[in-house]
Structures are given as structure tokens and as C-alpha cells.
Amino acid sequence: MRTDSSPGNLPAREHLPAGSAGTPVLDVVIPVYNEEKDLQPCVMRLHEHLKRTFPYEFRITVADNASTDTTPQVAARLDAEIPEVRSFRLEQKGRGRALRTVWSASDAPILAYMDVDLSTDLNALLPLVAPLISGHSDLAIGSRLARSSRVVRGAKREFISRTYNLILRGSLQARFTDAQCGFKAIRRDVAQVLLPLVEDTGWFFDTEMLVLAERAGLRIHEVPVDWVDDPNSTVHIVKTATDDLKGVWRVGRALATGSLPLDRLARPFGDDPRDRELTDVPKGLARQLVGFCVVGALSTLFYLLLYSGFRTFSGSQVANALALLVSAVANTAANRRLTFGVRGRGGAIRHQAQGLVVFGIGLALTSGSLAALNAATTDPGHSTELAVLIAANLAATVLRFLLFRAWVFPDRRDEPASPVGAVRNPASPTYSTAGPQQYQGQPPYPGQPPYPGQPPYQGQQQYQGHQQYEQFRTEQFHTDQFRAGEAADRTYGDATMQLEAVRPYDDDPNPRNAR
């Protein structure tokens, strides 16, 4: 599957319009579990800060993760007293599950979340979301490990945080500096496509989201923050660290096997319409050349080492053929995955067979050069042989790139695209983008009507998509089905999320609820 030339399923980023009054631009989610003491002070402080400093309409959504104390009552009271506050109840625990559920149902173009302890200074909130509003970036994160950040916390948590990020850099090649800071934002159009690929429902959720976004080429903006540790934090460090390491292994394996359809996250090159009107310009040529040169340099070094080893017990022709054969197989596999972005195992045997044809051409060039050298001198030195082979390999390399690009891995953008990321296993839980999504939810929280734009839940009733969903489906997806996190919930039967909404209708006759 080509990632460099894909036109992408995301449109070019654009600056969000100011919007009409009453339409929230920002939806800040606060996931909570048994936070009856801290919830009200947190919401009041956040609401006052946004009212005073944020220039757009906003909403604060409290996502209750199956609390067993009076947290639901506190959230419902805040919902009733403050027009910009909504409460949302889930019957299953998991911060990632709460964020995915609420973000998927939100109508705000910018989605954010922060921890209930408000350890991060709120002055970083506007710099966090501004690049998303302007269209500059796709995601934004607060970083406690940036040089200009100011952090107050114990040595134990400092060590764990830095070690975890070193693991991410070493194993998943992550370039962002802080994966676990509870202060992040994402554009809704990106979230609609990215979240179904994220399987985790706990603390590893945002790390997995960032890794996939970065691998797909999305732009992640980092904001240095001032952060003060909450000494009363209820996070279980050992269990969280263990789950995170399991998540790192799972995501690393998925990326290595190419099983994640990251193509659907690609954006068109350039956000200026003039860039998209250019014709007869090879797509991704510069990136392919760089990747091919890197792979070629490593392959040449590998080839020379093999040749020197085989030369100790065989003649030059035999050593050249063996070394070139082994290095050619490795070269084709590396270029297939790294240079031309072909993912999965489909067509791998055919590509290797075509690569062997290219190998035969290279063998003819290098063998011919050796034959010419042996005809010119009866006993050439080893260094002379290597110099001739290097020159012959350079010529073969140029020809190999042209054949790879035009024949082995051709650009198939003009062919009808197959459904990206289609789930072939009918038993797997999926979201269906061919029709309105179905939510099997439970009745709303007692005394509360459901979300605006959604019909009341009556048993297990089908959710009728509203205009925004239909527009998004038409412009963004064009796909059959995509995975909805089967490994996250470890279930393989029910394909739906459990939603329990507690938001009033926009057309509620109550003036306070007419939001």
C-alpha cells in the first residue's frame, strides 16, 4: 500500500472560521473516576479561565468512568448550573475509552482533554489549541520535558517519565518528547479517522494515538508547560507501566508487519491550492530518492562484506554472485517497505521475483565488469576488484531505482482504490462507514435527556446520522469498514460502543438548556 503518493483521506488543513454564536469551537473533556472532591473546583477553575481568556465558544465535558461515589451527582449538578458544562456517563472504566467515546460524539472542531487535578498551568491551553484552529497542526500536546518547561515533581516520577519516553524513542522511533502529559488536543476531522485505529482503552491510549499520528506524517505541535505534581494522584504506577510496555510491544509489532492502514491519515501535499493544481510532477520522488540512497548505501556495505567473506573460499565470480543474491533479496525487502511504502504481505513474492530479475541485470553488469578486468590483467589485486565492483554497482543502482519505480513498485494512483483498511474478518467488531453508525446504549442518566442531535435511546435503537456525520462520511472515508478497537476491549461479538449520554437537546424549551 503506497503511503507516499496516496492523495489521502484527510483534506488540506484550513483555518477554522469564527463560527456562529452558540457553536462551540473547543470541547475540553475531563475524564474522571471517583473524583467527587476535586471535580467541582476543577470545572469551576477551568470554566472561569476559558470565560476570561478564550476568544471562541467552548464546552467542558465531564466524562465519568463508572464512578462508584457521588461523582455522577456532582457532574450532573455542574451540568445543570453552568451552561457551558456537559456531563457524560460511561459504565466501563478506562481513560482511553472515555476520550474515544466523547470525542467521537462531539460536534466541536477542536477536541482537547486534561486531567482533573489541573497539574498543567492553564495559560498553556490557548497556545495548545491555536495551531489546530489556524490549520497549522493536526494534534497538540503539552510537554513537561521540553527545555523551557518548569516542572515540580518527585525524583521517582521524573525518572519513570524520562525512562518511558526513552523507551518510546528507542523502540518506536517516537520524536515527541512527552507522551503521558494529560494535556492534549486534536482536530475533529483527524480524530474521526485516527481514533478507530487506536486499540487501547486505558493510559496507553494517547501514546498509541501519537505514535500512529506521527508515523502517518501528521503534524504534532508541542507546547512547553508549567506542571506541578499532584501528591494525591490515584494512578497505579507499576500497573500503568506494565500496561504501557505491553502496548509498546503491540504497536511496534503492528508497525513492523505493516498491518495498520495509515494511508487513510495522509494529507495532500501542500495546503495552498496552487500546490494541488500542479501536473506532471512525480509524487514522492524526493523522498523515494532519499530512502533508496540510504537503503542502497547499506546494501552496498552489506554486499561488500558478504563478497569479502565469500571470496575467502571461492572465486571472484562465485563470491560476487552469492553476495549479490543475498543482498538483492534484502535490498528488495527494504525498498519495498521503506522507500516505496508497500505494507502487508500482499504481492511480496511477486515483488521478490521481479527484484531477482533486476538482480540478474545487476549481476550481468558486475560480472561483465569483472570479466573485463580479468581480461585486462591476469592477476588483479583485491582492492582493484572492489573499486571496479563499486563503479559497476553505482551504474546498477541507478538502473535498479528506475526499474523499481516504473516496474516493480509502480505508482497506481490512477487505478480504482480498494477500500482502505477494510476489515476482512466478519467476526471482528467494526464501525460501518457505508451507513449510519449504530450505538447500543443504555437509557440516559436518570433525569437527563440525551445529546443534541441524537434521538433518545430506547433499548438498543439505531443512531441516525446527522448532517455533520453525512458530510464527513462523504468527504473523508469512501471505505467499507474499519476496526473499532477489538483488541482494546478484547471482545469479538458486539461491534458497538456503550454510550450513556446526559446532554440536553439544543431545542429544549428551558432557556438554560438552549445552548
Side-chain angles (χ1 to χ4, degrees):
M1 187 176 298
R2 299 291 296 273
T3 57
D4 57 285
S5 60
S6 171
N9 290 273
L10 290 173
R13 289 182 294 264
E14 295 181 356
H15 195 300
L16 294 176
S20 59
T23 302
V25 170
L26 173 66
D27 191 350
V28 182
V29 180
I30 304 176
V32 292
Y33 174 73
N34 289 348
E35 298 287 354
E36 57 184 2
K37 294 182 179 179
D38 295 335
L39 179 56
Q40 180 167 339
C42 163
V43 172
M44 298 296 291
R45 178 182 165 194
L46 175 59
H47 178 264
E48 188 276 332
H49 176 83
L50 288 171
K51 271 287 189 182
R52 180 170 49 87
T53 65
F54 194 68
Y56 294 90
E57 296 287 337
F58 65 88
R59 178 192 300 136
I60 300 173
T61 302
V62 179
D64 176 28
N65 294 326
S67 294
T68 57
D69 60 2
T70 61
T71 298
Q73 287 76 19
V74 175
R77 185 171 64 250
L78 292 169
D79 182 298
E81 295 175 354
I82 305 176
E84 292 82 11
V85 175
R86 302 288 188 273
S87 58
F88 199 99
R89 169 77 176 180
L90 292 91
E91 295 300 334
Q92 294 176 289
K93 291 178 61 178
R95 182 182 69 169
R97 178 181 287 107
L99 291 177
R100 178 164 54 196
T101 303
V102 177
W103 279 355
S104 299
S106 179
D107 58 350
I110 304 298
L111 310 169
Y113 95 89
M114 61 182 62
D115 293 334
V116 69
D117 55 17
L118 295 186
S119 295
T120 305
D121 183 16
L122 292 178
N123 287 327
L125 182 56
L126 185 56
L128 182 80
V129 302
L132 308 186
I133 295 174
S134 69
H136 174 271
S137 301
D138 299 294
L139 299 91
I141 64 174
S143 175
R144 299 163 296 183
L145 302 181
R147 290 188 176 182
S148 56
S149 299
R150 296 185 299 177
V151 177
V152 178
R153 61 177 168 182
K156 178 182 178 181
R157 297 198 66 172
E158 179 76 12
F159 173 78
I160 293 175
S161 179
R162 292 189 177 274
T163 301
Y164 178 65
N165 282 279
L166 286 175
I167 291 174
L168 292 180
R169 287 176 174 268
S171 59
L172 300 179
Q173 288 79 50
R175 295 189 298 272
F176 47 85
T177 61
D178 193 350
Q180 290 287 24
C181 181
F183 197 72
K184 295 182 175 68
I186 185 173
R187 288 176 64 100
R188 187 186 59 176
D189 57 349
V190 176
Q192 294 283 2
V193 188
L194 176 60
L195 295 185
L197 302 180
V198 180
E199 297 183 358
D200 192 80
T201 60
W203 290 92
F204 187 69
F205 170 85
D206 35 1
T207 299
E208 183 174 356
M209 178 180 68
L210 290 174
V211 170
L212 298 186
E214 187 175 70
R215 286 299 186 95
L218 297 181
R219 185 174 295 159
I220 301 175
H221 177 73
E222 294 198 22
V223 178
V225 298
D226 297 339
W227 192 86
V228 179
D229 188 18
D230 179 13
N232 299 317
S233 174
T234 58
V235 177
H236 300 286
I237 296 179
V238 175
K239 182 179 184 304
T240 300
T242 302
D243 292 342
D244 287 347
L245 292 177
K246 293 179 180 178
V248 169
W249 169 257
R250 173 176 54 80
V251 173
R253 183 176 57 185
L255 292 173
T257 58
S259 60
L260 290 169
L262 299 181
D263 278 25
R264 73 164 60 113
L265 294 171
R267 287 196 184 273
F269 176 77
D271 292 339
D272 191 320
R274 293 171 296 181
D275 296 333
R276 300 191 290 277
E277 294 173 357
L278 296 178
T279 58
D280 300 325
V281 178
K283 301 295 184 180
L285 177 59
R287 195 196 69 80
Q288 289 180 1
L289 281 173
V290 173
F292 185 82
C293 289
V294 172
V295 172
L298 295 176
S299 298
T300 300
L301 178 61
F302 184 48
Y303 161 80
L304 293 176
L305 292 175
L306 290 174
Y307 178 81
S308 298
F310 292 143
R311 190 66 174 85
T312 59
F313 59 83
S314 63
S316 60
Q317 294 287 4
V318 174
N320 174 63
L322 291 175
L324 196 57
L325 176 61
V326 175
S327 61
V329 173
N331 181 276
T332 301
N335 277 304
R336 181 179 187 269
R337 177 65 179 84
L338 301 177
T339 303
F340 298 96
V342 181
R343 304 176 186 277
R345 300 179 180 178
I349 297 178
R350 175 174 58 84
H351 293 155
Q352 283 292 350
Q354 292 173 312
L356 289 178
V357 174
V358 178
F359 151 76
I361 297 175
L363 178 62
L365 287 175
T366 53
S367 297
S369 63
L370 282 176
L373 177 64
N374 291 327
T377 177
T378 56
D379 188 20
H382 184 65
S383 59
T384 304
E385 286 183 348
L386 290 180
V388 170
L389 287 174
I390 290 175
N393 269 282
L394 287 177
T397 297
V398 175
L399 182 59
R400 185 184 302 120
F401 176 77
L402 296 176
L403 290 174
F404 272 175
R405 182 175 173 84
W407 180 48
V408 183
F409 309 109
D411 190 345
R412 304 185 184 276
R413 285 170 296 154
D414 297 332
E415 296 182 2
S418 60
V420 179
V423 178
R424 302 303 180 190
N425 181 6
S428 299
T430 60
Y431 285 122
S432 173
T433 60
Q437 297 179 7
Q438 292 183 351
Y439 293 90
Q440 295 181 350
Q442 301 187 6
Y445 190 75
Q448 297 290 334
Y451 263 92
Q454 298 181 2
Y457 289 103
Q458 298 177 356
Q460 293 183 343
Q461 179 175 344
Q462 179 175 340
Y463 168 73
Q464 300 296 328
H466 48 71
Q467 181 179 2
Q468 294 170 337
Y469 166 76
E470 291 293 336
Q471 179 182 358
F472 174 78
R473 185 190 67 177
T474 302
E475 297 177 355
Q476 308 293 343
F477 274 73
H478 305 292
T479 62
D480 274 339
Q481 294 177 332
F482 52 88
R483 190 174 302 277
E486 66 183 33
D489 295 326
R490 299 295 188 267
T491 58
Y492 298 89
D494 185 8
T496 58
M497 286 185 178
Q498 297 294 327
L499 299 184
E500 187 169 352
V502 292
R503 293 171 48 182
Y505 282 112
D506 284 343
D507 56 357
D508 194 309
N510 187 337
R512 185 196 68 78
N513 292 336
R515 304 170 187 170

